[in-house]
Amino acid sequence: MASPKLTKIPSMRDRVEDTLSDHRDELVSLLSRYVAQGKSILQPHHLMDELDNAIGDNPSRTSLKDGPFGEVLKSAQEAIVSPPFVAISIRPRPGVWEYVRVNVSELCVEELSVSEYLRFKEDLVDDGDDKFVLELDLEPFNASFPRPTRSSSIGNGVQFLNRHLSSVMFRNKESLEPLLNFLRVHKYKGNSLMLNDRIQRLSRLESALVKAEDYIAKLPPSAPYSEFEYVMQELGFERGWGDSAARVLETMGLLSDILQAPDPSTLETFLSRLPMLFNVVILSIHGYFAQANVLGLPDTGGQIVYILDQARALESEMIQRIKKHGLNITPQILIVTRLIPDAPGTSCNQRMERITGCQNSHILRIPFRTEHGILRKWISRFDIWPYLEQFAEDAANEIAAEFQGAPDLIIGNYSDGNLVASLLAHRMGITQCTIAHALEKTKYPDSDIYWKRYEDKYHFSCQFTADLLSMNHSDFIITSTYQEIAGTKNSVGQYESHTAFTLPGLYRVVHGVDVFDPKFNIVSPGADSTIYFPYSDRERRLTSLHESLEKLIFDPEQNDEHIGTLEDPLKPIIFSMARLDRIKNITGLVEMYGKNAKLRELANLVVVAGYIDVKKSSDREEISEIEKMHVLMKQYNLNGQFRWIVAQVNRARNGELYRYIADKRGIFVQPAFYEAFGLTIVEAMTCGLPSFSTCHGGPLEIIENGISGFHIDPYFPDKAATLMVDFFVKCNEDPSYWTSISEAAIRRIQAKYTWKIYSERLTTLAGVYTFWKYVSKLERLESRRYLEMFYILKLRDLAKCVPLADEGGSG
């Protein structure tokens, strides 16, 4: 039998050249169509539309679509046209990019480097011909650092890191010295944990472990650590191994296994048993951060819910672990946010606020300060950049005072919180976790190349620069979904969009973020199980709220809380709840509903979003969306079938609202143009409400299409409306169909999206990355010095260009 022949996979350049050779006329016809559009950026659908137009009714040209060039176009993310050239950015798989350029006049093809492609793209904005543009290139710092190569491995960073680094670390006994040193430095407020000075060498550790295991094995498994603590100290061990004989024996057994025959999973389990996390800082700066009366205010939505639930789950996990360590230590979590003096009706003007449901965790608020005094009012998240460096300085002092030292972990949230987390982690020398949630770059197409168009309103130059800094400075990054990192086969991920881009006239990013970096990990959050639970759980239902909910939805009175009426209360309800901004696309849902007569006949529409009175909002985007909503109500004559309710801040009532809609056999719709995760989807599904959600972002992974919910594309609203019509028709024919989707939604959430799973994983990751940072070069000091220079020379000046809020300060 002949052995299989190895063949080289053709490059994208080879495929274009092959097509030029085999289908010259057809390809020239297609490329000429692109060039005829003049200087422009063509998106994937433009490229494919022109391909279909070029083929037309000529069957001889279909080979162009089915051949090598068709494959190139299917992988293309954009094309830059600058006659006579067409340059194409090609993404054969997530995280992998190639660039080619065709000269349509001379019919020649060349492969471009990242820098060459970006330089060609910059010609679109005619910013001069500066040959000495600042290029940001972090690849040289990471070239020798291990990383996976398969796209399917993206987001499983800690597993790869443990496999690779443990194989290097455990080659011989001498290479285990860093593990011994790591155990020896463990202290809490000056008191040694794990090991004392009696154990100085590996040989001593091994012999002490044998003696300790022999001794403990003879004790009752439930014997508390205090009963054999002095024996352990004589052998060289301190508290931290466990609270009982059985637990200590297990932990020591894991270490013995590592010293004799190490493997990555044993190492990760052992590290999760070590007492490393006592004090944690969580940063969330923009918006109104409080536990009540803030949801729906500008820049204030699901992130507040996420972070409060995160803190509660994390504290609970820390308490449980510390108890199992055998330690009598109370962990602390500080959520650090901005203090807003002029925030009537909220607690945002209070310095400290205890977090409900926590034992010793608080919200710590610190004001924005300048040389003119304290900023008293709310300002948009797009305008806060000039305040963040001073905020970080003030936060460092306040945190040190509250903890009487440095925290063990700092978690940043959103672009502003992550930048401050980077500044604090750099100053304090602590482990940093980044959570982006939603990166603005992917929300606003071409916001990099045409950044100057957006600068006055959004200051994206600051935000994109801050994002690059924090992503690269962070020790580990957690995302809710794979898509956040590397998108899908056909769409680019949020982080992936920062791999290479240009801000013409400012700088060019040649290698910014590598989505294959093992710092990326997928850790999905859940919904608060005390608030969100299935509608069928009758014993827990808040039936006392039903009267107020009925009034909220059906009361014909028109006021500042609700407008629009529902003439037929027996119809099921299409329900949506989100901030009222462009990306959330609530007005798009209303317009989609208004246009579809059949959908209006089958169901009512109820949305909870923003303010109704435009005068009450100070947010630019929200004001525009409020005005648009009023226009749509009149344009489609929605009264009688539509109810618009202002943002609701009572979480307990919101939970019952989901279940009330489920009682009516309704559905939940999340129509966003992009949704990084989709916490409201998790909430709705937890309550058993069949959900229709955007296919752009996290919900694509949360929902199993047609099983536990449905995917919709907000860019094709007519198709989305038809899908909802079909659902309601099917439910009318077979009521059990609604129940089957509802039950599948509940099962999906319980299996994959809970805060218990989240907190266990986050706590373990914090320990693992702290360990590897200590025992290896994971700290990446070279790149951090490079980032420090980039911050001082670039971001500082950009932030100074953002105007300060025009109000009188007070000291």
Side-chain angles (χ1 to χ4, degrees):
M1 181 177 175
S3 59
K5 186 178 179 181
L6 293 175
T7 58
K8 179 186 175 184
I9 298 175
S11 69
M12 292 299 169
R13 177 188 173 183
D14 294 336
R15 296 182 194 190
V16 177
E17 287 184 330
D18 289 346
T19 306
L20 268 174
S21 174
D22 298 339
H23 305 282
R24 192 179 191 87
D25 290 343
E26 296 94 327
L27 186 54
V28 168
S29 173
L30 174 61
L31 293 174
S32 296
R33 285 175 175 270
Y34 296 154
V35 170
Q37 301 191 37
K39 276 192 175 185
S40 59
I41 300 177
L42 301 182
Q43 299 301 328
H45 63 277
H46 295 138
L47 297 173
M48 297 308 293
D49 287 347
E50 288 297 341
L51 175 60
D52 291 335
N53 293 335
I55 294 171
D57 298 326
N58 189 339
S60 66
R61 292 185 171 182
T62 56
S63 57
L64 189 62
K65 188 171 186 177
D66 300 331
F69 193 71
E71 291 302 311
V72 170
L73 288 188
K74 288 173 187 174
S75 301
Q77 294 304 312
E78 67 178 17
I80 308 301
V81 179
S82 183
F85 295 101
V86 177
I88 307 175
S89 168
I90 306 159
R91 180 176 173 265
R93 60 188 174 91
V96 177
W97 295 80
E98 294 181 41
Y99 306 92
V100 296
R101 181 169 62 186
V102 183
N103 184 326
V104 181
S105 298
E106 300 179 7
L107 297 183
C108 60
V109 185
E110 59 181 325
E111 190 169 343
L112 299 180
S113 67
V114 180
S115 183
E116 289 169 336
Y117 176 80
L118 293 175
R119 193 178 309 135
F120 181 73
K121 186 175 182 179
E122 288 162 7
D123 289 342
L124 291 175
V125 296
D126 292 322
D127 252 36
D129 189 25
D130 186 353
K131 291 182 172 57
F132 298 97
V133 175
L134 173 64
E135 287 194 343
L136 184 68
D137 185 357
L138 286 149
E139 187 179 47
F141 299 107
N142 301 319
S144 62
F145 198 80
R147 63 201 59 236
T149 56
R150 293 185 304 160
S151 296
S152 59
S153 297
I154 293 171
N156 295 313
V158 76
Q159 289 93 325
F160 173 82
L161 198 63
N162 278 336
R163 283 197 307 271
H164 181 87
L165 293 183
S166 59
S167 67
V168 173
M169 180 178 170
F170 300 135
R171 284 175 181 166
N172 51 54
K173 287 290 183 184
E174 289 72 28
S175 61
L176 287 167
E177 286 289 341
L179 174 59
L180 171 63
N181 294 335
F182 183 72
L183 293 174
R184 293 185 67 242
V185 298
H186 266 55
K187 286 182 170 57
Y188 178 76
K189 293 188 176 179
N191 297 315
S192 293
L193 301 174
M194 305 303 294
L195 301 178
N196 59 39
D197 290 340
R198 284 186 171 86
I199 296 178
Q200 300 278 351
R201 300 183 309 278
L202 272 174
S203 57
R204 171 68 174 163
L205 174 62
E206 288 179 305
S207 63
L209 279 172
V210 171
K211 293 175 184 177
E213 288 179 273
D214 285 345
Y215 179 82
I216 298 169
K218 299 171 185 175
L219 299 175
S222 60
Y225 187 85
S226 57
E227 290 187 4
F228 53 94
E229 180 174 3
Y230 294 117
V231 174
M232 296 292 285
Q233 284 182 327
E234 287 294 319
L235 291 172
F237 299 104
E238 294 293 335
R239 281 184 173 269
W241 293 89
D243 60 339
S244 66
R247 181 80 177 181
V248 172
L249 200 58
E250 286 176 10
T251 307
M252 289 187 163
L254 289 168
L255 180 56
S256 295
D257 289 343
I258 291 169
L259 296 175
Q260 293 170 25
D263 71 84
S265 82
T266 304
L267 177 64
E268 182 174 326
T269 304
F270 175 69
L271 292 175
S272 71
R273 295 285 190 99
L274 298 185
M276 287 190 260
L277 217 52
F278 305 105
N279 296 322
V280 175
V281 168
I282 300 174
L283 282 152
S284 178
I285 300 169
H286 70 255
Y288 292 83
F289 198 104
Q291 299 180 84
N293 303 326
V294 296
L295 291 180
L297 294 176
D299 288 341
T300 309
Q303 81 271 21
I304 304 296
V305 176
Y306 176 106
I307 292 162
L308 286 170
D309 286 348
Q310 176 193 54
R312 294 184 185 103
L314 189 56
E315 188 199 68
S316 176
E317 180 67 20
M318 289 165 65
I319 288 172
Q320 289 180 37
R321 290 201 182 198
I322 289 170
K323 182 180 178 183
K324 288 179 180 179
H325 295 325
L327 301 173
N328 185 25
I329 296 171
T330 302
Q332 296 182 76
I333 295 176
L334 285 178
I335 298 177
V336 178
T337 188
R338 183 198 160 198
L339 185 145
I340 308 174
D342 295 345
T346 78
S347 57
C348 295
N349 53 10
Q350 298 175 17
R351 178 182 176 273
M352 288 283 280
E353 179 182 351
R354 183 171 179 174
I355 300 172
T356 305
C358 289
Q359 293 186 23
N360 197 33
S361 296
H362 298 80
I363 300 168
L364 171 63
R365 298 187 182 89
I366 298 164
F368 282 169
R369 280 196 310 124
T370 69
E371 59 187 10
H372 305 298
I374 290 173
L375 182 63
R376 302 193 59 82
K377 66 180 183 180
W378 167 87
I379 56 171
S380 166
R381 69 185 187 277
F382 298 116
D383 300 329
I384 66 176
W385 302 105
Y387 302 95
L388 294 182
E389 185 172 303
Q390 183 62 54
F391 181 89
E393 287 291 316
D394 294 342
N397 296 329
E398 298 262 6
I399 290 165
E402 291 296 327
F403 286 152
Q404 297 180 344
D408 305 299
L409 173 68
I410 187 160
I411 303 171
N413 291 275
Y414 290 89
S415 299
D416 48 351
N418 285 317
L419 176 63
V420 173
S422 298
L423 296 174
L424 290 173
H426 183 76
R427 172 173 170 165
M428 296 178 166
I430 53 178
T431 302
Q432 177 191 354
C433 169
T434 285
I435 309 177
H437 296 281
L439 295 164
E440 303 292 344
K441 189 171 177 294
T442 47
K443 291 183 182 180
Y444 297 84
D446 301 327
S447 53
D448 47 10
I449 185 72
Y450 297 122
W451 66 277
K452 290 185 179 179
R453 297 179 183 176
Y454 297 89
E455 191 66 3
D456 287 346
K457 185 175 182 181
Y458 295 115
H459 309 297
F460 282 153
S461 63
C462 287
Q463 183 148 8
F464 298 169
T465 306
D467 287 334
L468 278 171
L469 282 163
S470 58
M471 291 172 194
N472 284 287
H473 190 276
S474 183
D475 295 298
F476 68 103
I477 297 171
I478 65 172
T479 70
S480 300
T481 63
Y482 178 96
Q483 284 188 75
E484 279 184 63
I485 310 170
T488 65
K489 180 181 178 182
N490 300 315
S491 63
V492 180
Q494 283 194 72
Y495 281 96
E496 189 182 10
S497 73
H498 293 74
T499 301
F501 65 93
T502 180
L503 302 178
L506 196 58
Y507 60 84
R508 184 186 299 147
V509 180
V510 176
H511 291 103
V513 175
D514 184 355
V515 295
F516 290 96
D517 195 307
K519 68 171 60 178
F520 283 101
N521 293 273
I522 300 167
V523 186
S524 302
D528 186 341
S529 59
T530 64
I531 301 290
Y532 306 100
F533 51 85
Y535 76 100
S536 55
D537 192 347
R538 299 294 172 187
E539 292 184 1
R540 298 173 68 192
R541 291 290 299 271
L542 306 177
T543 53
S544 60
L545 297 176
H546 285 198
E547 184 178 345
S548 68
L549 290 176
E550 287 182 11
K551 186 174 181 181
L552 185 70
I553 296 171
F554 297 111
D555 189 343
E557 181 184 349
Q558 309 292 289
N559 54 37
D560 286 345
E561 188 176 17
H562 47 69
I563 61 172
T565 59
L566 304 179
E567 292 176 353
D568 185 353
L570 298 179
K571 283 184 187 178
I573 292 172
I574 300 168
F575 177 59
S576 191
M577 179 160 53
R579 290 194 313 275
L580 195 55
D581 62 28
R582 187 185 71 82
I583 298 298
K584 294 297 184 184
N585 193 35
I586 293 296
T587 54
L589 171 62
V590 173
E591 185 166 18
M592 178 198 75
Y593 176 81
K595 286 181 175 180
N596 194 297
K598 184 63 175 176
L599 189 58
R600 293 174 65 168
E601 176 189 325
L602 289 167
N604 292 317
L605 175 62
V606 175
V607 301
V608 174
Y611 290 109
I612 292 170
D613 184 354
V614 71
K615 296 175 184 175
K616 291 191 175 182
S617 178
S618 56
D619 183 83
R620 295 182 289 254
E621 276 196 6
E622 186 178 49
I623 289 169
S624 175
E625 292 297 297
I626 292 170
E627 292 169 344
K628 185 176 178 181
M629 189 84 95
H630 286 287
V631 170
L632 290 171
M633 289 181 69
K634 293 176 183 176
Q635 181 179 345
Y636 293 103
N637 191 25
L638 292 177
N639 200 35
Q641 298 170 313
F642 172 66
R643 181 74 149 191
W644 177 12
I645 302 168
V646 299
Q648 299 295 297
V649 297
N650 186 323
R651 290 183 70 210
R653 192 166 81 153
N654 286 346
E656 193 60 29
L657 179 56
Y658 283 121
R659 291 184 288 271
Y660 184 86
I661 303 295
D663 290 338
K664 298 284 185 182
R665 290 301 187 262
I667 63 173
F668 181 78
V669 181
Q670 215 290 19
F673 288 117
Y674 184 83
E675 183 62 53
F677 177 57
L679 194 56
T680 54
I681 291 294
V682 173
E683 292 170 355
M685 291 173 69
T686 301
C687 294
L689 193 53
S691 297
F692 291 68
S693 186
T694 179
C695 62
H696 301 290
L700 189 66
E701 295 176 39
I702 298 172
I703 292 173
E704 304 156 295
N705 191 40
I707 300 172
S708 55
F710 302 90
H711 299 148
I712 59 172
D713 190 337
Y715 292 100
F716 297 94
D718 293 343
K719 289 183 180 179
T722 300
L723 186 65
M724 293 177 209
V725 167
D726 293 343
F727 175 81
F728 283 120
V729 169
K730 193 166 184 177
C731 290
N732 288 339
E733 294 170 353
D734 178 12
S736 68
Y737 182 62
W738 187 96
T739 304
S740 67
I741 299 295
S742 169
E743 292 175 348
I746 295 169
R747 288 194 299 271
R748 175 70 173 169
I749 297 303
Q750 291 176 346
K752 295 276 291 183
Y753 301 96
T754 70
W755 280 111
K756 177 64 176 170
I757 298 171
Y758 177 99
S759 59
E760 288 174 353
R761 194 68 192 139
L762 175 57
T763 308
T764 297
L765 289 175
V768 170
Y769 280 93
T770 298
F771 170 72
W772 286 122
K773 183 177 177 179
Y774 179 85
V775 302
S776 72
K777 287 189 69 177
L778 198 60
E779 196 163 1
R780 311 186 198 195
L781 289 175
E782 302 93 337
S783 63
R784 289 193 172 185
R785 295 295 286 176
Y786 184 67
L787 294 170
E788 181 183 325
M789 181 174 64
F790 192 59
Y791 171 80
I792 293 170
L793 298 180
K794 186 58 65 174
L795 183 53
R796 259 185 170 174
D797 288 342
L798 291 172
K800 288 175 184 176
C801 292
V802 178
L804 297 174
D806 81 0
E807 65 163 22
S810 65

